[in-house]
Amino acid sequence: MASGKTLTSAKAEKSALASSKADKPRRKTLARSKYNKAEIKAIFERFREADPEPKGELDHVNEFTLLVAVVLSAQATDAGVNKATRHLFQIADTPEKMVALGEDRIREEIRTIGLYKNKAKNTFLLSQQLIEKHGGKVPQTREELEALPGVGRKTANVVLNIAFGQPTIAVDTHLFRIGNRLGLAPGKTPLDVELKLERIIPKEYMRHAHHWLILHGRYVCKARTPECSRCIISDLCKSPENKVGLAGKKPPQA
C-alpha cells in the first residue's frame, strides 16, 4: 500500500511539473530591427540635436497630477485632457484633496473626455490607494504603479520616465506605429516594440527616446500622411512608405 501511494504521488508530481512547464510562456524571438548600431545612433543623435530636452504634453503640477493626467489620457487627446484637468488640478492636486472631492464631482470635472465615468472612478480609487498604501506618495516602481486602478504598463512607464527620470519606453499608438513603419523595432504588440527598443537604443538616448519617437509620430510621421519632406531622418529611414527615399544615400556603418 505504501509503495502504491509513493507511485501515485510520484506520478502526480511528474504531472504537476509537466503542467507547470506547459504554463510557462515560451521565450519569443523578437523581429530584428532593419537598422545597424551606427544607423540607430545616427537617428537618435538627430533627434537629440533637434530637441535636447523633449517634454510630455500633458499638463501637471506634481507627480500625482501627472499620474492622474496619464490615466485620463487613455483614448483621449492630450489637448482634451489638459482642458478637462485645468480646473480639476487647481482644486485637487493631492490624493487627499481628490478623495475629499468625491467621485461624483470628479466625474463632472472630466465629463468632456471619453470614458469619463470609468476614469472618474479609477481616479478616486487610485487616490484612496495612494493614501492607504503609499502615504499619499506616487510609488517609484512599475509593479506598485500597475497595482493602482486604471494604471497599465504604458501609464506606469510614462510616470516613471517623466516624474522620476527612469529610462523607460512608453509605447502609445504613435510609437507602436513608428516602431513598425520604420522597421526600427517591429513587433506585434506594444510590449514587443518596447522590449526591442530597450535592446537597441544606446543608453545615452534612453531617457528621452520615447518622447522623441512619440512626438515624431504625432507631428511628422503621421498615420495617414507622413510628412517625409520635413523629416530629419528621411535619409536614414527604411520604411517602404518613405516618399523621399534612400537613393544615393550611404548609410552609416556599424
Side-chain angles (χ1 to χ4, degrees):
M1 183 68 71
S3 61
K5 284 185 177 180
T6 303
L7 181 60
T8 301
S9 176
K11 286 183 177 180
E13 184 177 349
K14 185 175 181 180
S15 176
L17 179 61
S19 176
S20 175
K21 288 182 178 179
D23 290 341
K24 289 183 179 179
R26 294 182 179 180
R27 184 178 180 182
K28 293 194 295 184
T29 301
L30 299 180
R32 292 176 61 86
S33 174
K34 290 183 179 181
Y35 303 81
N36 62 39
K37 291 182 179 180
E39 291 168 337
I40 293 169
K41 181 178 176 61
I43 287 171
F44 284 96
E45 185 58 32
R46 299 263 185 97
F47 286 142
R48 182 164 69 178
E49 289 176 355
D51 188 4
E53 294 290 333
K55 304 294 183 183
E57 297 185 323
L58 286 171
D59 293 340
H60 60 281
V61 295
N62 54 31
E63 291 90 350
F64 170 68
T65 54
L66 171 65
L67 173 60
V68 172
V70 182
V71 167
L72 298 180
S73 70
Q75 300 183 47
T77 65
D78 287 358
V81 173
N82 290 340
K83 181 179 179 180
T85 59
R86 188 172 297 120
H87 182 251
L88 175 64
F89 291 162
Q90 289 177 359
I91 59 177
D93 59 356
T94 68
E96 293 80 6
K97 291 178 182 178
M98 195 68 74
V99 169
L101 205 59
E103 184 180 335
D104 290 346
R105 178 65 185 281
I106 297 170
R107 185 166 56 246
E108 288 304 308
E109 290 288 337
I110 65 170
R111 64 181 300 113
T112 57
I113 62 176
L115 306 175
Y116 71 94
K117 293 181 180 179
N118 193 52
K119 290 177 180 179
K121 180 179 180 180
N122 285 333
T123 298
F124 180 77
L125 291 176
L126 76 82
S127 299
Q128 278 188 326
Q129 286 196 21
L130 288 177
I131 296 168
E132 295 169 1
K133 297 183 179 181
H134 304 284
K137 303 294 184 182
V138 176
Q140 299 187 35
T141 70
R142 183 185 287 120
E143 293 73 20
E144 289 175 309
L145 284 167
E146 287 190 49
L148 297 170
V151 179
R153 187 179 182 91
K154 186 197 78 171
T155 295
N157 281 342
V158 171
V159 173
L160 292 173
N161 183 279
I162 297 178
F164 304 114
Q166 296 186 29
T168 56
I169 302 290
V171 180
D172 71 348
T173 55
H174 298 295
L175 204 154
F176 184 73
R177 181 180 71 253
I178 293 296
N180 283 286
R181 173 185 274 172
L182 274 60
L184 181 64
K188 293 182 179 181
T189 68
L191 182 59
D192 287 344
V193 174
E194 177 186 335
L195 296 178
K196 168 60 72 174
L197 289 172
E198 286 182 346
R199 286 173 52 187
I200 67 173
I201 297 174
K203 289 183 179 180
E204 63 265 35
Y205 304 110
M206 279 292 294
R207 173 70 172 83
H208 296 307
H210 93 270
H211 278 121
W212 287 320
L213 292 171
I214 288 172
L215 293 172
H216 186 66
R218 183 174 293 167
Y219 297 113
V220 180
C221 198
K222 302 174 184 177
R224 294 185 180 180
T225 54
E227 298 183 20
C228 302
S229 61
R230 50 185 291 261
C231 173
I232 62 174
I233 61 168
S234 60
D235 58 317
L236 298 169
C237 176
K238 297 182 181 182
S239 169
E241 298 178 57
N242 188 347
K243 299 174 184 177
V244 176
L246 298 169
K249 302 291 184 180
K250 186 176 181 180
Q253 300 299 309

